[in-house]
């Protein structure tokens, strides 16, 4: 009965409230190859550091990723932040077609074909978005698709806090 009560209380819980164990920890070490057909490089840990970076985990088969895409494009245009993508469990041709249709706001996109890097980042499902500070430390995580409100209320303040870190 106690177990049923716990499940009943948690059934409407917002997945965005799940705090990542990686917050305030260095980004996981990884190397992902470029997605064939895209004119941007692959993505690895060496690319993180020196500037604030937004990392977005997406896939062409993800309907919420399609909905989120214009918001990512607007975030990039408004903030000028480095935007890197992890393309999760996707065929290169599908990822390329997705970004050809919607536009490619990413500075780099790594193909995580087996999902291993996404697991290392603690990704529950796509889309998920992280803010990484200039020292390569994850300082913010958003679970689910970004909206204009979440960008305004959560992501841009996290970017601003990361940029304000002392040198």
């Amino acid at each position: 009965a106690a177990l049923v009560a716990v499940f009943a209380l948690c059934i409407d819980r917002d997945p965005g409230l799940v705090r990542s164990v990686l917050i305030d920890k260095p980004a996981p070490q990884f190397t992902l190859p470029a997605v064939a057909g895209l004119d941007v490089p692959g993505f690895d840990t060496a690319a993180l550091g020196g500037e604030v970076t937004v990392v977005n985990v997406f896939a062409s088969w993800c309907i919420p990723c399609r909905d989120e895409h214009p918001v990512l494009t607007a975030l990039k245009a408004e903030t000028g932040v480095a935007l890197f993508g992890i393309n999760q469990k996707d065929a290169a041709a599908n990822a390329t077609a997705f970004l050809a249709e919607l536009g490619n706001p990413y500075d780099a996109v790594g193909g995580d074909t087996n999902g291993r890097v996404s697991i290392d980042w603690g990704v529950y499902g796509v889309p998920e978005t992280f803010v990484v500070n200039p020292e390569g430390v994850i300082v913010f995580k958003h679970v689910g698709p970004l909206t204009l409100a979440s960008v305004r209320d959560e992501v841009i303040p996290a970017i601003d806090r990361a940029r304000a870190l002392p040198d």
Side-chain angles (χ1 to χ4, degrees), residues 143-167:
V143 176
L146 293 174
T147 63
L148 292 174
S150 65
V151 165
R152 178 191 67 234
D153 298 340
E154 301 171 17
V155 179
I156 290 177
I159 292 169
D160 291 342
R161 285 190 304 273
R163 284 179 171 161
L165 288 175
D167 292 330

Side-chain angles (χ1 to χ4, degrees), residues 1 11 17 35 37 43 48 51 53-54 84 87 89 101 104 107 111-112 119 122 125 128 130 133 136 143 153 161:
I11 199 161
L17 296 176
V35 174
F43 176 32
L48 298 173
E51 66 181 323
T53 306
V54 172
F84 295 159
N87 181 238
K89 296 183 179 178
E101 176 187 347
N104 185 0
D107 298 300
D112 187 14
I119 290 169
E128 289 191 17
F130 301 82
N133 74 15
V143 176
D153 298 340
R161 285 190 304 273

Side-chain angles (χ1 to χ4, degrees), residues 101-162:
E101 176 187 347
L102 299 176
N104 185 0
Y106 298 104
D107 298 300
V109 177
D112 187 14
T113 55
N114 65 7
R116 182 70 228 166
V117 169
S118 298
I119 290 169
D120 291 345
W121 278 72
V123 172
Y124 295 100
V126 290
E128 289 191 17
T129 303
F130 301 82
V131 175
V132 181
N133 74 15
E135 289 77 33
V137 174
I138 298 170
V139 296
F140 175 80
K141 176 181 180 179
H142 180 86
V143 176
L146 293 174
T147 63
L148 292 174
S150 65
V151 165
R152 178 191 67 234
D153 298 340
E154 301 171 17
V155 179
I156 290 177
I159 292 169
D160 291 342
R161 285 190 304 273

Side-chain angles (χ1 to χ4, degrees), residues 9-142:
L9 290 173
C10 295
I11 199 161
D12 290 331
R13 196 163 217 187
D14 180 1
L17 296 176
V18 177
R19 180 167 164 83
S20 173
V21 297
L22 296 178
I23 298 296
D24 298 328
K25 303 261 189 316
Q29 297 291 310
F30 67 96
T31 298
L32 291 174
V35 174
L38 293 181
D39 60 352
V40 295
F43 176 32
D44 63 29
T45 306
L48 298 173
E51 66 181 323
V52 174
T53 306
V54 172
V55 177
N56 177 255
V57 184
F58 75 99
S60 66
W61 46 262
C62 164
I63 301 302
C65 297
R66 180 173 287 276
D67 295 339
E68 159 184 85
H69 201 78
V71 177
L72 282 172
T73 302
L75 173 67
K76 174 74 175 171
E78 181 177 339
T79 65
V81 71
L83 179 60
F84 295 159
I86 296 175
N87 181 238
Q88 186 189 56
K89 296 183 179 178
D90 213 352
N94 294 342
T96 302
F98 176 85
L99 293 175
E101 176 187 347
L102 299 176
N104 185 0
Y106 298 104
D107 298 300
V109 177
D112 187 14
T113 55
N114 65 7
R116 182 70 228 166
V117 169
S118 298
I119 290 169
D120 291 345
W121 278 72
V123 172
Y124 295 100
V126 290
E128 289 191 17
T129 303
F130 301 82
V131 175
V132 181
N133 74 15
E135 289 77 33
V137 174
I138 298 170
V139 296
F140 175 80
K141 176 181 180 179
H142 180 86

